[in-house]
Amino acid sequence: MKTDIQIAQEAVMEPITKIAESLDITPDELELYGKYKAKISDEYMKKIESNPDGKLILVTAINPTPAGEGKTTTSVGLGQAFGKLGKKAVIALREPSLGPCFGIKGGAAGGGYAQVVPMEDLNLHFTGDFHAITSANNLLAALLDNHIQQGNELGIDTRQVVWKRCLDMNDRVLRNIVVGLGSKMDGTVREDHFVITVASEIMAVLCLASDMEDLKARLGRMVVAYNFEGKPVTAADLQAVGAMAALLKDALKPNLIQTLEHTPALVHGGPFANIAHGCNSVRATKTALKMADYVITEAGFGADLGAEKFFDIKCRMAGLKPDAVVLVATVRALKYNGGVAKADLNTENLEALKKGIVNLEKHIENLQKYGVPVVVTLNAFVSDTEAEVSFVKSFCEERGCEFAISEVWEKGGEGGIALAEKVLDTLEKKKSDFHVLYEDSLSLKEKIRTVAREIYGAAEVSYAPAALKQLDKLTELGFGNLPVCMAKTQYSLSDDPALLGRPENFTINVREAYVSAGAGFVVVLTGAVMTMPGLPKKPAAFAIDVNDDGVITGLF
């Protein structure tokens, strides 16, 4: 059986100018990064502003398990299937982070015969967007420490610096560090921290900004520290906005690549969904909607994280109204939720399936709360039995969901036709009545409680004393009307990764809260979720290599 990277490397790609031509984009409206990658120019985006919007389809999933769900694979395969049916479709995805590529998760280009290419470029440096975000983040950190060193005119309290440095790599030893050691000329000694680039507020700002003017306004609002009076100090106060915007000028433009079957794909931005808002850029999504009749996008991890934030943060801010949701599950993952060990997932086990399907049930209920029609798809594995598939199909249809099998990993677009036809039928028969889960006017604690109870199924929310103080202070500073971005483990509906299925009578534990004023939300940290991941004992990096001809191996 061929690996994903072998399949990708054997693909015959079209020049990106030809992919662009299918969308009526001229070569002058592209900024080329070699033969197979390009950025879309501001001129083209302005040209299509008056085009009608296509239909927006969100792909999400049950809670991820070691068995794998295949959300990106399904997104790519569905886009290819629309092409097979003669429909004009564009896929809008996030860019992968280097951290997981070299860690445990691997890349994020899809899999099998449903991938976006060039796969190696996408999973590594791509067009340099993440490097630009990392540089802008660390420029702000340098300006902040320099301001303190050069007299501290703003009265920054070094015990209340909240801006962290970042790196697009899993590096646990950088979570908590001390800077400024050495002589007086080496700066002020203080505790500092690193987050992974995809958790930087600049990543969220870039992904939510509508244009350069909006980007600069959001950058300026970012809170970097508090002064001795407890008032916020912003990036604008440090006169950092212009230089950061200059670094981000090209990164703000969406990237155009293609799938194995030459379906256009806009891949842009990449905030994590467990520690950030988990969606590709607003610019890419809105541009795709003007380009095509159908736009397939995805949100990170399970629907309790990615879809909730897609709806309550991205759609709220950008005025987007999704027309349908595809919820991805696998028989194997449902059996894993039912208590089956990973080694035994290939054996038929209807009892475990019945026990674990409650995870899928909760995600169906959650998505229906937003008023959007839901199509459940089973990402097919050869080990799935007829009895298992039949049980899941009946279970979904009894709950008002359409159902389809997806075989895109094995068959590409051809294997997604049943799903595409079901989505098209749903779009025709069921009108979306999309609405957000909570109103802006609720207090921060009420918003947290609403998400915890309605989406996670928690009985209560508990707060560390520090978190209560932080929420009170943020409300006092005028941030109480912002939506909440819940940072939580992706592996469970609760904040405990060991609680699988559909846990009940549990408490969500809030340990910290802080404002991302530029992004426009309050981040709420729960459980033990980390904003700078570490590497496993045997990182994926061990298997990655490049030969004398420049061919990369080991990426997945």
Side-chain angles (χ1 to χ4, degrees), residues 77-99:
L78 179 58
Q80 293 181 157
F82 274 117
K84 292 274 187 190
L85 293 171
K87 306 296 183 183
K88 191 175 183 181
V90 169
I91 302 160
L93 304 174
R94 294 179 298 162
E95 299 176 49
S97 164
L98 288 176

Side-chain angles (χ1 to χ4, degrees), residues 444 448 466-468 470-471 474 510-515 522-525:
L444 292 173
I448 293 166
L468 286 173
Q470 289 159 345
L471 289 168
L474 294 175
V510 175
R511 73 172 201 268
E512 185 183 345
Y514 60 88
V515 67
V522 170
V523 179
V524 179
L525 296 177

Side-chain angles (χ1 to χ4, degrees), residues 4-6 8-9 37 72 93-103 105-111 114-128 130-131 168-169 198 257 267 298 540 544 552-556:
D4 289 347
I5 194 168
Q6 286 173 329
Q9 288 172 342
K37 300 173 289 184
T72 304
L93 304 174
R94 294 179 298 162
E95 299 176 49
S97 164
L98 288 176
C101 281
F102 296 117
K105 179 180 175 287
Q115 295 187 60
V116 281
V117 286
M119 181 261 217
E120 309 99 297
D121 294 20
L122 176 60
N123 280 318
L124 297 176
H125 302 286
F126 199 31
T127 58
F130 283 22
H131 298 313
D168 191 29
M169 200 61 64
V198 287
I257 54 174
V267 185
E298 68 169 22
I544 297 171
I552 294 171
T553 56
L555 269 177
F556 65 94

Side-chain angles (χ1 to χ4, degrees), residues 178-385:
V178 176
V179 296
L181 293 173
S183 71
K184 186 177 180 181
M185 292 302 296
D186 295 322
T188 301
V189 177
R190 66 176 184 86
E191 183 180 350
D192 202 358
H193 311 271
F194 270 79
V195 296
I196 193 166
T197 296
V198 287
S200 166
E201 185 178 353
I202 294 181
M203 175 66 81
V205 162
L206 183 99
C207 288
L208 292 168
S210 54
D211 52 29
M212 178 56 77
E213 182 183 9
D214 186 32
L215 176 72
K216 290 168 79 170
R218 288 174 178 275
L219 290 171
R221 291 196 295 268
M222 296 189 308
V223 176
V224 298
Y226 293 87
N227 64 19
F228 290 113
E229 295 177 2
K231 293 178 180 174
V233 177
T234 66
D237 294 331
L238 288 171
Q239 301 177 61
V241 174
M244 285 192 293
L247 283 169
L248 297 168
K249 175 179 74 76
D250 292 328
L252 186 59
K253 298 168 186 172
N255 306 296
L256 176 66
I257 54 174
Q258 63 191 288
T259 73
L260 292 174
E261 297 178 12
H262 316 307
T263 305
L266 295 186
V267 185
H268 193 220
F272 273 4
N274 55 347
I275 51 182
H277 76 280
C279 310
N280 74 315
S281 77
V282 166
R283 286 196 105 195
T285 303
K286 286 193 165 183
T287 300
L289 285 168
K290 298 296 183 184
M291 288 174 158
D293 298 323
Y294 301 94
V295 174
I296 300 99
T297 192
E298 68 169 22
F301 292 127
D304 55 321
L305 287 170
E308 187 273 317
K309 293 170 184 178
F310 178 86
F311 294 144
D312 287 322
I313 294 176
K314 181 174 177 176
C315 291
R316 182 193 302 264
M317 291 188 189
L320 295 169
K321 295 185 183 299
D323 295 286
V325 179
V326 174
L327 177 57
V328 181
T330 66
V331 167
R332 289 160 56 83
L334 293 173
K335 288 191 289 192
Y336 184 86
N337 270 281
V340 175
K342 186 179 177 182
D344 301 324
L345 292 174
N346 289 340
T347 305
E348 182 179 287
N349 190 330
L350 284 170
E351 283 307 308
L353 184 60
K354 290 173 185 175
K355 187 178 174 186
I357 205 168
V358 293
N359 185 266
L360 174 63
E361 179 181 45
K362 177 59 176 162
H363 288 297
I364 291 171
E365 291 173 10
N366 288 349
L367 293 169
Q368 289 174 335
K369 289 175 183 178
Y370 291 93
V372 184
V374 180
V375 178
V376 174
T377 186
L378 268 186
N379 191 13
F381 282 75
V382 291
S383 59
D384 299 347
T385 69

Side-chain angles (χ1 to χ4, degrees), residues 24-42:
D24 301 319
I25 306 174
T26 68
D28 286 343
E29 292 166 332
L30 292 176
E31 296 175 9
L32 297 175
Y33 284 66
K35 292 181 184 177
Y36 306 113
K37 300 173 289 184
K39 281 189 172 288
I40 295 172
S41 69
D42 292 329

